Amino acid sequence: MARKGKKAKPKTPKKGLSLKLSKQNKIILGSLLMLFSIALFFSFVSFYFTWQDDQSLLTEFANRNEQAKNLLNKFGASVSHFFMYKGFGLASLIFPFLLAYTGLYMFLNLKKEGLLNKWIWGLIFVIWISITLGFFAIDKPLLGGLVGYEMNDFLQDYAGSIGVLLLLVFGLIFILVRLFHFTPEDFINYFKAKKESLASEFKGRVNDVDKSFEFEKEDVAPVIIDTYTHKKDIPPLEKEKASDDFEVNVPKEEPIEEDVVAMEVEKIVEEQEEADNIADKLVDDFGEFDPTLELGNYKFPTIDLLDQHGTSGGITINQEELEENKNKIVETLKNYKIGIAQIKATIGPTVTLYEIVPDAGIRISKIKNLEDDIALSLAALGIRIIAPIPGKGTIGIEVPNKKPTVVSMRSVIASSKFQKAEMQLPIAFGKTISNETFVVDLAKMPHLLMAGATGQGKSVGLNAVITSLLYKKHPAEVKFILVDPKKVELTLYNKIERHFLAKLPDSEEAIITDNTKVINTLNSLCIEMDNRYELLKLAMVRNIKEYNVKFKARKLNPHDGHKFLPYIVLIIDEFADLIMTAGKEVETPIARLAQLARAIGIHLIIATQRPSVNVITGIIKANFPARIAFRVTSKIDSRTILDAQGADQLIGRGDMLFTQGNEVTRLQCAFVDTPEVEKITAYIGAQRAYPQAHELPEYVGEDSGTSIDYEISERDTMFREAAEVIVIAQQGSASLLQRKLKLGYNRAGRIIDQLEAAGIVGPFEGSKARQVLVSDMMALDQLLNNESN
């Protein structure tokens, strides 16, 4: 019996190798495989960023002094080189997932059915992807690896490119059919289902739109508030009709005013709540109003349109120059018995700031008076001493670099500070002395005054302002009014007229070059300002930002004249020329706009090369707290523009000082060249635009001349002689008649009016002489003879 029992349960013979693992060993091995798969994944991903740096270390694996750049150091570099370069390329990323899947099976002690199948299909995927990448990216062997590259090369030797492509397509069909059970019927049914779902969705949207229109007809009717409280207030046409009802409802004694007011207030509150509910309903149904929808496909200019001027690697530090300048500063101050406790340097694109801490007891004024001596010792142009530096207990000495670095507009636009700027009108001017991108908000300035001598960077500065806004704002959000008396600086922006420019109605060109049109445009802007303030008052908001938020939320009715208000930026180049030719006619509307236009989104940028007190008057300066000074020729000009010295010590070529009413910041203006501006405007101009440029309100100028048609009998006795003088000189001015005919001013003025009525001279044009409409004496005789006949 005992023997039979032993035969019933025979002992399994011991084998040399057993593939069975205990549960504990499965957990250990499973966790090892999962962690190893994570290590492989990070090694493979890191390989594509570090393989070039790690190539030389592949043979130095045992050398502990060498370190690889791969995330898993030399192990990661070696393993990823084997799999990614010598193996299957990008397809190798499937291996970490297969290993992780296998490790998870072991870790959770799951049944292994189907695991082998997944490995087989995984290897098929690896080979197919590797050959496919080797075929389509033959010039990039890292994508398909050495296996994909060689197998593709081998197959092409026998089947050619078309044959390999057909094999790859067959492999894809094989995978889809065997693994995903794909059939042609499934493909057809899928597209049929998609078509039906799209049709039903479209039908549902049409029904929703019909319902919304029905809702508007029934519930969104205009609310009429009856504010008549007395019979005498009823309009005459309705008095007869309403008299019976009114007499019955209103008691004969005097109504109590408090109750009436309370009732009206209650009505208004209820109606306001109802209007808000309607607005919320509209927002729920249609979303917020989007002003950019009309040009919804508008694409902002790309960074590739800008050139990388100078070195792309940033500022080059010249240690010898730094040490030499430091020693010279210390030595010069030591000669005047001024000790230095500490000195440090901050290197900028064009200027280096040396910050010094003098010994105790040294007067700051003593150092400031040595400006010329330090400049002499350094043999440098444009030494500027800041004593003391605001917010620091140091004295600054700015010294120009011997090899200045060009700050390109591309580097400034691409900076994260500009890209992430949450401003209404962000402007990137350039870089500070510490090489930081300098970005300001024009909406908070709110107006900018720019001055500098000829050739020092004003036009480039204006281009930097416009370029910044073009890269950041949609055409629906900002409009430019460009005034260019020189007629050559801003004409580049003609291509974006229907996108970004604003002009007077019936005006041929959007960029204004004629001084008469400047006067009309400024007065039109004043009308626009008044209109906008009226809209703000009706909307019960304080500024353009609050107004546009309310309009987008559909809380303002367009039938009441409300509309989305874009920002308007007025840019005037050569303001001095404008003042010389038009004078008070320009200064008055500019002063009005500068004082009042901030809240309604109209901002002014004025540039001039003559920052004298008769051009930049006290009224203008008071309303332009933000100012930019390029290099000027004298300390007086610097004080006029900045209320401080320093602009006369700049080194030119975009070196500038910026102030917004507090401290002065030295910047290197970003350089944007004319071809770059042409590329940007061409890129924008090639896109779909609005039907026409943004139109300003119409303004009819008031001529100082008379429009009265004088009778021939009422003409001055010297009318004929005056006409001959004017035609011969081809200059229509009262002062000419005073000199030639020895007349008084009043009589000469009356004759000029009579000449205008006769059609000999044109209308009044400010301080300019009137245009002479008759070319020669023969034409004058013919004109006067026709009148007498």
Side-chain angles (χ1 to χ4, degrees):
M1 292 292 293
R3 285 181 182 177
K4 284 181 183 178
K6 285 180 182 178
K7 284 179 183 178
K9 294 181 180 180
K11 289 183 180 180
T12 55
K14 290 184 179 180
K15 294 182 180 179
L17 285 171
S18 177
L19 294 175
K20 284 191 175 181
L21 296 172
S22 64
K23 188 176 181 180
Q24 290 85 353
N25 289 337
K26 283 183 179 179
I27 293 171
I28 293 169
L29 185 57
S31 60
L32 177 64
L33 287 175
M34 286 191 288
L35 294 173
F36 183 64
S37 68
I38 294 170
L40 280 182
F41 178 78
F42 283 109
S43 300
F44 291 172
V45 172
S46 178
F47 173 77
Y48 277 96
F49 300 96
T50 62
W51 69 273
Q52 288 178 318
D53 297 325
D54 295 343
Q55 278 288 310
S56 60
L57 301 177
L58 295 174
T59 56
E60 301 287 335
F61 192 86
N63 189 352
R64 296 182 62 184
N65 294 325
E66 297 290 341
Q67 297 292 318
K69 294 288 182 66
N70 194 286
L71 288 175
L72 273 81
N73 213 322
K74 285 183 281 189
F75 167 78
S78 302
V79 171
S80 56
H81 178 77
F82 176 77
F83 276 95
M84 307 293 279
Y85 181 75
K86 291 188 174 181
F88 302 95
L90 269 178
S92 301
L93 285 168
I94 293 174
F95 286 120
F97 290 99
L98 290 172
L99 285 172
Y101 197 71
T102 306
L104 188 66
Y105 258 63
M106 290 186 173
F107 188 81
L108 299 176
N109 199 22
L110 301 173
K111 292 183 180 180
K112 293 184 181 178
E113 289 138 354
L115 186 60
L116 181 62
N117 196 37
K118 286 179 175 56
W119 269 92
I120 291 171
W121 279 111
L123 291 173
I124 290 172
F125 263 111
V126 166
I127 294 168
W128 184 82
I129 292 171
S130 179
I131 297 173
T132 303
L133 290 174
F135 179 78
F136 287 104
I138 196 166
D139 57 335
K140 295 180 180 178
L142 280 179
L143 292 177
L146 198 59
V147 172
Y149 181 82
E150 291 294 341
M151 288 187 72
N152 174 66
D153 191 51
F154 172 77
L155 290 171
Q156 287 203 25
D157 287 343
Y158 289 94
S161 299
I162 296 175
V164 175
L165 180 63
L166 295 173
L167 284 172
L168 290 174
V169 172
F170 173 75
L172 179 63
I173 294 171
F174 175 80
I175 292 169
L176 290 173
V177 172
R178 293 304 303 269
L179 183 61
F180 299 105
H181 307 292
F182 169 81
T183 61
E185 290 83 1
D186 294 337
F187 184 77
I188 295 167
N189 292 336
Y190 172 78
F191 275 98
K192 276 185 179 178
K194 273 285 179 189
K195 185 179 177 182
E196 289 172 3
S197 66
L198 285 171
S200 61
E201 185 180 350
F202 178 76
K203 188 176 180 182
R205 284 187 180 178
V206 170
N207 291 336
D208 289 343
V209 171
D210 291 341
K211 287 177 185 176
S212 67
F213 281 123
E214 188 179 343
F215 165 76
E216 285 181 3
K217 288 177 184 175
E218 293 177 4
D219 297 332
V220 194
V223 180
I224 301 171
I225 304 173
D226 184 10
T227 57
Y228 301 121
T229 56
H230 300 287
K231 189 173 180 179
K232 63 181 181 180
D233 292 327
I234 298 178
L237 292 175
E238 297 181 11
K239 192 175 287 186
E240 198 175 86
K241 181 181 175 183
S243 60
D244 298 335
D245 296 334
F246 194 79
E247 290 294 341
V248 170
N249 292 332
V250 180
K252 292 183 180 179
E253 60 266 19
E254 189 71 16
I256 302 169
E257 292 292 335
E258 289 81 357
D259 293 345
V260 174
V261 171
M263 181 186 70
E264 288 183 3
V265 170
E266 190 178 345
K267 266 189 180 180
I268 291 168
V269 170
E270 287 176 0
E271 284 156 6
Q272 183 62 43
E273 289 177 356
E274 185 180 349
D276 290 342
N277 292 335
I278 292 170
D280 294 338
K281 175 69 176 172
L282 288 171
V283 170
D284 291 340
D285 289 348
F286 303 104
E288 285 197 344
F289 173 77
D290 184 5
T292 65
L293 204 58
E294 190 174 348
L295 296 185
N297 295 325
Y298 174 79
K299 293 180 181 177
F300 287 86
T302 60
I303 199 72
D304 300 332
L305 300 172
L306 295 169
D307 298 332
Q308 183 70 59
H309 300 282
T311 57
S312 58
I315 295 172
T316 305
I317 299 173
N318 189 333
Q319 291 290 350
E320 292 182 6
E321 183 183 345
L322 285 176
E323 195 65 28
E324 184 182 351
N325 285 344
K326 184 196 80 171
N327 293 335
K328 286 180 178 178
I329 290 171
V330 172
E331 186 180 344
T332 303
L333 295 175
K334 191 177 178 182
N335 291 338
Y336 292 91
K337 298 180 181 179
I338 297 173
I340 302 298
Q342 183 185 346
I343 184 168
K344 69 172 183 176
T346 305
I347 305 164
T350 54
V351 175
T352 299
L353 173 66
Y354 295 88
E355 291 183 59
I356 61 173
V357 180
D359 289 339
I362 302 296
R363 300 178 71 127
I364 290 176
S365 59
K366 192 174 181 182
I367 297 175
K368 201 162 187 179
N369 292 334
L370 296 175
E371 197 167 67
D372 294 335
D373 299 280
I374 296 171
L376 179 63
S377 68
L378 294 172
L381 174 69
I383 296 293
R384 181 169 168 263
I385 293 181
I386 312 166
I389 296 176
K392 296 183 180 180
T394 57
I395 295 170
I397 301 175
E398 293 175 347
V399 182
N401 298 335
K402 289 181 180 177
K403 292 184 179 179
T405 305
V406 177
V407 176
S408 66
M409 196 69 200
R410 176 173 181 150
S411 65
V412 173
I413 294 291
S415 67
S416 60
K417 192 168 185 181
F418 178 75
Q419 293 294 334
K420 296 177 182 178
E422 295 182 0
M423 301 176 179
Q424 299 300 313
L425 296 172
I427 295 173
F429 277 120
K431 293 194 175 181
T432 63
I433 205 166
S434 56
N435 203 37
E436 294 178 1
T437 302
F438 189 79
V439 183
V440 289
D441 191 358
L442 178 61
K444 292 182 179 177
M445 285 187 189
H447 310 294
L448 177 64
L449 193 59
M450 191 183 291
T454 304
Q456 302 305 316
K458 291 190 307 301
S459 297
V460 174
L462 291 177
N463 284 332
V465 169
I466 299 172
T467 303
S468 299
L469 295 175
L470 292 180
Y471 266 91
K472 203 72 173 172
K473 306 305 288 184
H474 189 275
E477 297 173 318
V478 65
K479 301 294 177 185
F480 296 99
I481 299 174
L482 304 179
V483 179
D484 183 15
K486 287 196 290 189
K487 304 181 182 180
V488 292
E489 293 293 347
L490 301 175
T491 49
L492 296 169
Y493 299 100
N494 265 325
K495 295 176 185 176
I496 59 171
E497 176 181 327
R498 292 189 295 130
H499 291 88
F500 281 100
L501 300 190
K503 65 178 184 179
L504 291 171
D506 303 324
S507 181
E508 293 180 5
E509 294 182 357
I511 296 172
I512 306 160
T513 55
D514 184 11
N515 288 341
T516 307
K517 290 183 180 178
V518 176
I519 297 166
N520 293 343
T521 302
L522 291 174
N523 285 294
S524 173
L525 260 184
C526 290
I527 297 171
E528 173 74 12
M529 177 181 72
D530 295 334
N531 293 342
R532 287 190 173 199
Y533 268 117
E534 188 65 27
L535 290 176
L536 261 62
K537 185 183 83 171
L538 294 173
M540 291 183 288
V541 292
R542 294 174 56 193
N543 54 52
I544 186 174
K545 187 178 179 181
E546 294 175 6
Y547 178 89
N548 282 338
V549 167
K550 204 168 183 178
F551 186 81
K552 286 180 181 178
R554 301 185 184 273
K555 293 183 179 179
L556 300 175
N557 193 342
H559 293 295
D560 297 335
H562 292 293
K563 58 185 177 180
F564 181 81
L565 299 179
Y567 285 91
I568 295 178
V569 181
L570 170 66
I571 298 178
I572 301 177
D573 195 10
E574 297 303 339
F575 182 63
D577 179 69
L578 207 57
I579 289 291
M580 286 173 64
T581 54
K584 289 286 182 183
E585 291 178 284
V586 166
E587 188 180 340
T588 302
I590 281 182
R592 275 204 74 209
L593 291 168
Q595 289 166 355
L596 299 172
R598 172 183 181 174
I600 42 82
I602 298 176
H603 302 280
L604 280 58
I605 299 175
I606 291 176
T608 180
Q609 61 180 343
R610 258 186 56 206
S612 52
V613 290
N614 61 332
V615 174
I616 303 173
T617 60
I619 295 174
I620 290 176
K621 281 182 69 175
N623 292 288
F624 284 76
R627 299 172 202 167
I628 285 177
F630 292 93
R631 189 184 180 193
V632 293
T633 54
S634 68
K635 287 182 170 60
I636 297 171
D637 289 346
S638 178
R639 287 189 177 278
T640 304
I641 181 68
L642 291 177
D643 295 327
Q645 292 184 14
D648 55 310
Q649 296 162 324
L650 299 174
I651 59 174
R653 296 179 62 84
D655 190 18
M656 66 186 231
L657 296 174
F658 174 82
T659 179
Q660 204 164 345
N662 38 32
E663 63 184 51
V664 178
T665 306
R666 190 166 186 174
L667 306 169
Q668 177 61 38
C669 184
F671 179 66
V672 53
D673 205 359
T674 303
E676 295 173 75
V677 176
E678 287 178 344
K679 284 190 282 185
I680 293 169
T681 54
Y683 181 86
I684 296 172
Q687 300 185 51
R688 179 173 169 267
Y690 294 108
Q692 58 188 9
H694 183 80
E695 281 197 355
L696 297 171
E698 188 174 0
Y699 173 78
V700 180
E702 297 178 3
D703 295 336
S704 294
T706 180
S707 59
I708 300 172
D709 188 10
Y710 283 93
E711 294 290 336
I712 296 176
S713 59
E714 295 178 0
R715 285 177 179 171
D716 194 281
T717 54
M718 300 191 73
F719 175 82
R720 175 93 188 195
E721 295 175 57
E724 291 174 356
V725 169
I726 294 293
V727 171
I728 291 169
Q730 286 294 303
Q731 181 183 346
S733 67
S735 58
L736 177 66
L737 297 181
Q738 286 180 266
R739 293 195 310 273
K740 294 289 185 180
L741 304 177
K742 297 179 182 178
L743 303 175
Y745 178 77
N746 292 335
R747 188 178 180 186
R750 281 196 303 273
I751 294 176
I752 286 289
D753 292 341
Q754 292 168 9
L755 291 170
E756 181 190 347
I760 296 172
V761 297
F764 179 73
E765 295 184 15
S767 57
K768 289 172 63 177
R770 294 172 185 248
Q771 185 182 0
V772 180
L773 305 176
V774 178
S775 58
D776 53 30
M777 290 298 296
M778 187 180 294
L780 176 64
D781 290 336
Q782 188 176 354
L783 175 67
L784 296 178
N785 289 335
N786 289 338
E787 283 184 347
S788 60
N789 293 334

